[in-house]
Amino acid sequence: MLPRARQASIALTLLVGVIIPFSALTEYDGIHLGKGLLKEVTQAPCVRLFSSQGTVGCRTRSREGATAPLYYLSGFGEDDQHEYMNLEEGVAVVMPASMLNSTVLEFLKAQSPARTRGVIVLEESKDMAADFERDSVSPDVSTPQGDGTPSAAFTVGPDHAWNPRGSGLLNQKHDFPVVLASVDGDSTGVGAAQVKAWAQHNGGLRRAGPLPRYKAKFDFYFGPDSPSTRAESDLTSADCLSWRDVAGNPAPQCLPIGGQSVWGTFGGRTGLQTKPSVLLTTAMDGLSFFHERTPAANEAVASILTLLAATSALKNASRAGALDLDAAPYNLAVAFFQADEWGFAGSRRFARDISPGGVDCPATVPDNSSRDGSGACVGSDGVYPSMAFKDLAEKGFVHVLAVDQVGVLGTGGQAGSLPLTALYDKTPPTAVLDAIDRAAASMAPSQAVMVTSLDGSGALPPSPFTSFARGTPALSGAILTGYGETFIDPRYHSHEDTAAVLDPTALSSVAALVARAFWKLAAGPGEGAASAAELEAIGVEPAFVSDLLDCLTRDWDCPAMKAFRDSEISNLKDYLQMSYLYTPPVPRPPTYYAGVLAPYQGLPLVQHLDKSSHAEGVDTGIYAAWPAGQVFPVGAHDKAYVVPKPLEAFLRAWLGHTLGQGGEDAPVACQGPSDCSDLTCDAGLSTRECVLDACVCRTAAFYHTALDPGLAPLPEPGLFAVSDPAAPNWAEPNWEDIGLAVFPDAGSRMEATALGVGVGVAALSVVGALVLQRSLIKHHYFD
Amino acid sequence: MAAAGLMWGAGLIVFSPISCVFILVVTRRPELVIIAISGAFAYLVALLLSSALWAMFGPVKQTAAIMVVLGVLCQVVMRAVLYRLYHRTEILIKSANHPVLHMPLNDITSSLAAGTGYGLMHAVMIFGSVLASGNSDPGVLFAPSCTRTPLVVVLALLALAFTMMDLSFMALTFLYLRRRKCFRMGVIFLMHSAASGLTILNDVENGCTMSLPLVYVVMVATVLVTFREWRQLNEDT
């Protein structure tokens, strides 16, 4: 090595050694070292979703995401459109939520990808009063789960336009990301106001516009355009679920939308086994263009609350001696179906499973290993931790009363009365309508309700009743709704379907009506069944409704819900003999989007322990199903279980506590399940649980898997196969990091100028240094 | 990474002059490399002294002008200390009267080397963290002192001016102290204070429109003074 080079290398090494520490201080926002200039935006995205027919939703087409300067679109007049079309570069459009409609998005889509790189919708104030004069903001199609959707074949009357003002955005594919910037920022990101300020600062993105220019970076990659085998086709859920890696191993890139439906019975398993049932039901999930922002106040919360309040009212009346539930000819059953917005996944699977031969169950986990004593099943349809639904199947349903959108009521009622509609299809369900009329007649003047019967004439609005009606057209049933021939809520399936539209007092009245009608149905036909005194004894406490409404709409971590959820998980950990168990996080704010079905997120599993290795505590396998035609090798210590999602856990625990043996009926104090061994349960092998410090027999409330019957779990947890390609089979893609961030940028002109000046200075420096060197040599300064 | 062109451009503005001098002049002799490293260390010590004064004198912290003067004073003192160390080394080597080992250095090349090291470290301190942050952050920082120009460019231009002045100040220090014209160190003090004091204008919104041009005026004046003084020396000898 030449001496000079050695010297230079030593010097440069020392220099680098000084500079490297500065590289560790890699972020600087002008105030703090360690904080960068990339500012996350608190937002809820529109995500890509797959069905059997293709793709809907929003995404960035490149793995690297999309980066573009913010452009504020304040209006949609001709001048605004003209100015937009004259933009010379791609932009991230920032617009108020009031402009989110199909017209604007179609215009922006037509300018994509040349101009439209992404859309940021600025959320407006959450507290908006119900306003029927307002233009519809419903993003769903005019025929929800009907024509033009993958669920059309599973709907009664798919061509009926229940949602005539729907824009159809939910059913469209957008090749650019669309996100809803939250009104309020939080510790992790900035809110809509800041994003708007940045966009307005950018102005019209003129050449000599102000600096810095704020740019948005969207990271919403959800997979390629099409599968490798069909370059011209859209990606479907079947493609995504059957994805394989380069080595040919299964590597699914999505998970099915689903979870656990929850159902309960007033008479316990004994009631199910001895007499037919009447079913009170609703869907427990909702839908929105921005899935993480699905408040579903009218769509789901109102119905859930109505059923819970009705259940509580009936149980209270029973405890008070006003009702004799055991003497009623029919058993009362309540059901909340999950993922029903996605091809009626929950109710369709339930209806299929309770039908003869509905479930492939070649092997059962022993009764004493199942939590409710009903046994558990492991087969090609998956793992069923509870077989209690078979009890229901034996005697079946006689009547079904479904509840839908009873939070927003019309103005068509008589003065002072709440208007409701009982919708049925063709043949009037006499018993159901009579029960509703008797219930309405028993209401006090201050809670007057007017119910109008309406024949759907071959059409039924989307609800769980649809799944039962399709399977048994002669089934007696109706849907109690707040609307008539068409939906009246302009916020149907919108992120604006918030709690502000709900009136606790009105909901109390509706819940009381439902409870009384339900009792009348269970009490049987005839004037003598369900006397006026009995009906009037069934009342709903307004405080119960208002307290629970606050929990369900604002914070699922409120004490009322958290206590039930904690009990549920505690009992599960005790059953599995685990000190730690992963549970899905509680979403904030609450969202009624069903989410995916995955291990430890609603997917039932069986923990298979080989007896010989049990002493060492070694699991020999955890399975989600077993191949058809083969018998699962049941072990004496096997445990079938499911880790529910937060809302599911609350509902099952609440129903179990309210309806189960023990609980409030005969409280036996406890701190854990081990304190409940003395509690006698009718179903002797039932697990005893400790819920809200009281022992309960696990005989009254159950989970049931909500997974599209067109899909089946495979033995390896997380893998699914398509058993019916024609079914909707909705799935959500997997992703690692998605999000939106904004950062200040200098613009290309400044960049070019800086680089040009730098190169010029470098050139001059070389020349200058050479001149200096030669001058020094010439004057013998290096001799 | 922030706009690559911006980062590269700013980096070239700051480091290309001083790096060219280092590579084409300083590395011709290993002794000059050692002196350059010593110069860098001298700047760090000057910075440490300034920091200690800032920490000690509470009320003074609030007055930028006073801190500027104190900081410049520390740097002037450290340059003088560096020359002293160089001179003592020179005396030691000459007194050894070794038949082979001799002092191949002279004030011009030595002061250039010391100034290069001093200026390089000065540039790293002004500019290093901002440049490093740009490597991991796509955002470009703008400051109220210069709302239409990225901070990285503003600092690059500022660092370029000060590195050129560092070369000149070190050359003048060697010249004046060799000739025992200590009182002329006041000239260095005044020019350096003027340049540093002008940066206080950056406290004003868009103050860079005034401070940067004026700093470059001072820089040009400094370089011209340096050339004039060294030419005077050559004529005298």
Side-chain angles (χ1 to χ4, degrees), chain A residues 84 207 227 235 358 367 380 391 408 455 469 485 577 623 703:
Chain A
Y84 188 79
R207 273 188 183 275
L235 209 57
D367 290 359
S380 61
D391 297 335
V408 173
D455 179 5
E485 291 183 352
Q577 297 177 349
Y623 303 95
Y703 292 115

Side-chain angles (χ1 to χ4, degrees), chain A residues 360-427:
Chain A
D360 169 42
C361 193
T364 55
V365 174
D367 290 359
N368 60 353
S369 291
S370 71
R371 300 190 69 191
D372 55 21
S374 65
C377 173
V378 184
S380 61
D381 285 321
V383 174
Y384 284 79
S386 169
M387 298 298 286
F389 65 93
K390 285 297 189 184
D391 297 335
L392 186 61
E394 278 191 32
K395 297 292 182 181
F397 294 127
V398 180
H399 306 294
V400 177
L401 177 60
V403 175
D404 183 41
Q405 297 184 59
V406 292
V408 173
L409 305 179
T411 54
Q414 292 175 350
S417 65
L418 300 172
L420 292 169
T421 306
L423 276 159
Y424 58 91
D425 180 29
K426 293 177 187 168
T427 305

Side-chain angles (χ1 to χ4, degrees), chain B residues 8 14 17 19-20 24 28-29 44 69 87 91-92 99 101 111 122-123 125 130 136 141 163 198:
Chain B
W8 277 103
V14 176
S19 300
C20 287
L24 293 175
R28 289 189 68 87
R29 289 205 181 280
L44 288 177
V69 168
H87 184 60
I91 293 172
L92 280 171
L101 188 65
S111 63
H122 194 174
M125 285 300 173
V130 175
S136 61
L141 184 60
T163 52
L198 285 169

Side-chain angles (χ1 to χ4, degrees), chain A residues 4 7 11 14-15 18 22 26 29-30 36-38 211-212 743-744 750-751 754 758 762 765-766 769 773 776 781-783, chain B residues 3 5-6 9 12 16-17 22 24 27 29-30 37 106 108 120-121 125 132-133 136-142 147-148 234:
Chain A
R4 184 176 299 178
Q7 297 160 23
L14 287 170
L15 200 62
V18 173
F22 289 98
T26 53
D29 63 355
L37 296 167
L38 197 65
L211 288 179
F743 61 92
M750 176 60 70
E751 185 180 349
S765 301
V766 171
Q773 181 199 64
L776 293 172
Y781 285 112
F782 284 117
D783 291 342
Chain B
L6 198 65
L12 285 172
S16 54
F22 182 85
L24 293 175
T27 58
R29 289 205 181 280
I37 294 170
N106 51 74
I108 286 189
L120 194 55
M121 187 55 62
M125 285 300 173
S133 71
S136 61
D137 195 329
V140 177
L141 184 60
F142 284 73
T147 57
R148 294 189 64 85
N234 285 336

